[in-house]
Amino acid sequence: MTLRDDERNTIINYRLNQAVQALEDADFLLNHKKLSLAANRIYYSLFYALTAIALKDGFSTSKHKQLIGWFNKKYIKTSLVDIKYSKLIYSAYENREKGDYDILFTLTYDEIANSRVHTEEFVNKIIPNLLTQ
């Protein structure tokens, strides 16, 4: 399906709004010590932001790991984005997976709170900068 520029921009803005909302949800969950759920919302904040930048670049996939791999190839390996964000995304993905499915996995408040801070930086500074390039 081919999108007109206005349609593409509408969807990009929708995804960015989802990223911000997921981060706000993570704040609420962190404040209530719901760490697995907060980890889930942090990851999805990153995921929604990645889908926005992928849409801008004309990349589409329904696979999370494929999206992350594409981002790493296009933005991390070319040094357009600092490698720390690749590590953040992979860590958030793993935390979400483990938090959702591994009954023996324990997340720490400090780990999730730290991830949340870097996710906010990624969503509010890095992605908007990439969208204007």
Side-chain angles (χ1 to χ4, degrees), residues 11-121:
I11 297 169
I12 287 170
N13 288 329
Y14 176 76
R15 287 300 195 183
L16 291 175
N17 287 334
Q18 282 184 298
V20 170
Q21 181 61 55
L23 204 52
E24 290 173 6
D25 294 345
D27 288 340
F28 175 82
L29 294 163
L30 267 172
N31 288 335
H32 289 85
K33 308 292 190 264
K34 305 294 185 189
L35 301 182
S36 291
L37 294 172
N40 177 288
R41 300 321 301 153
I42 288 167
Y43 169 71
Y44 273 98
S45 180
L46 292 164
F47 174 77
Y48 297 140
L50 289 175
T51 60
I53 197 68
L55 185 58
K56 175 213 169 244
D57 289 348
F59 180 78
S60 178
T61 182
S62 62
K63 307 285 186 201
H64 289 236
K65 285 190 174 183
Q66 191 176 33
L67 177 65
I68 295 167
W70 167 83
F71 180 78
N72 282 330
K73 183 178 179 183
K74 173 127 176 127
Y75 289 97
I76 302 297
K77 298 233 186 275
T78 59
S79 299
L80 293 171
V81 174
D82 192 292
I83 194 168
K84 75 179 184 178
Y85 295 106
S86 177
K87 294 175 182 176
L88 170 70
I89 294 164
Y90 275 115
S91 176
Y93 178 82
E94 289 175 1
N95 286 341
R96 194 236 359 144
E97 287 274 302
K98 290 176 182 175
D100 285 355
Y101 303 112
D102 188 346
I103 61 172
L104 300 176
F105 179 70
T106 306
L107 298 166
T108 68
Y109 180 89
D110 289 343
E111 178 183 16
I112 300 306
N114 186 49
S115 179
R116 186 254 172 254
V117 168
H118 294 294
T119 298
E120 180 177 22
E121 181 180 21

Side-chain angles (χ1 to χ4, degrees), residues 119-132:
T119 298
E120 180 177 22
E121 181 180 21
F122 185 77
V123 167
N124 292 329
K125 293 180 184 169
I126 303 302
I127 292 297
N129 186 38
L130 294 176
L131 288 171
T132 60

